[in-house]
Amino acid sequence: MYDTNVIIKQLNKLPKEAVTRAEKPFYWNNCLWSPKFNLKTGEITCYVAKLKNLDLKLRGSELTVSNSLQKFYMNNNYKPFVFSEVVNAIAELDAYFDFDLYSAQVKRTSVAVVINDIEDNTFKNWLEYKGKKPLVMRNKTRVYGAHFKATNYNIKGYDKTYQSKNESGKKIDNSLIRFEFEANHRYINTGKNAIGIYTVADLVNKTKFNALADELLKVYDTIKKQPVINYQELQPKDILLLGAMKDKYSFNGLKKYHKDSFTLYRKKYTKLLENFTDSELEDSIRSKIIEQINYCKNN
């Protein structure tokens, strides 16, 4: 269920090459490290390395490890990544280093599930999340996903079958949709429902793993979806309201310059959508997400 993580470790012991500011690549902790230079001054800014798919950066005494933990362990992120595999993956990663990875800080993490379904039933139906309109995920002219982006989180839904073939050439036979929630430490560790993911050790805490899974479902449930609407049953004013709320420019204009009217229109809009909710379709998608979440929790 985990995917991309940003992990930071403050090191007490540095490789001698980093201490002496070596200008040539060197091996340390099972990786080949290369210097990066400031183009203007010629000074070394940091050392970088790759560990399978993971990106490693050593700047001063701070080591950053980022990218997909699931891809590190499984070479893909379109299959389930269950709790027992997460435990094994982090143990495997820890074994590469001569320090305790479990005490490293987690600055950002993401959780995700993949379901069998199609675009029209999933992210193409997304209308908004907490007042934010979705942004498109695009490759040239091909729109393959949608996401809601804020300072502390990023929510994605996208065609995993297309993305996998486009990025890695991997052909997947099924039509897979990936739903992903990425959050930084402020989102996860503040508020009355804080989960408490501070260190790598917290990532392998079963209670906290389950809490992140529950948060993924909570986020999905908060997304407003586009129902199938019979416009013959609507008054012109209702059709105009739907259009204004769906168009991001008029939506943002009302929200920014006419806050009181926006609040009133939004309540009417929400009530109107409730009359057209396709509960059968929504229940089907939600059930698939819950099934995958429970599978990751219980294995």
Side-chain angles (χ1 to χ4, degrees), residues 47-63:
Y47 293 92
V48 297
K50 293 287 290 188
L51 179 55
K52 296 185 179 179
N53 70 298
L54 298 178
D55 296 315
L56 280 59
K57 181 170 70 174
L58 180 62
R59 183 187 295 274
S61 61
E62 183 179 274
L63 174 68

Side-chain angles (χ1 to χ4, degrees), residues 14-28 32-37 43-50 55-64:
L14 295 174
K16 63 180 186 298
E17 292 88 352
V19 175
T20 60
R21 312 301 287 168
E23 295 185 356
K24 293 182 179 180
F26 60 90
Y27 280 95
W28 174 62
L32 178 63
W33 294 80
S34 300
K36 289 291 183 181
F37 298 90
E43 295 180 349
I44 296 173
T45 58
C46 64
Y47 293 92
V48 297
K50 293 287 290 188
D55 296 315
L56 280 59
K57 181 170 70 174
L58 180 62
R59 183 187 295 274
S61 61
E62 183 179 274
L63 174 68
T64 302

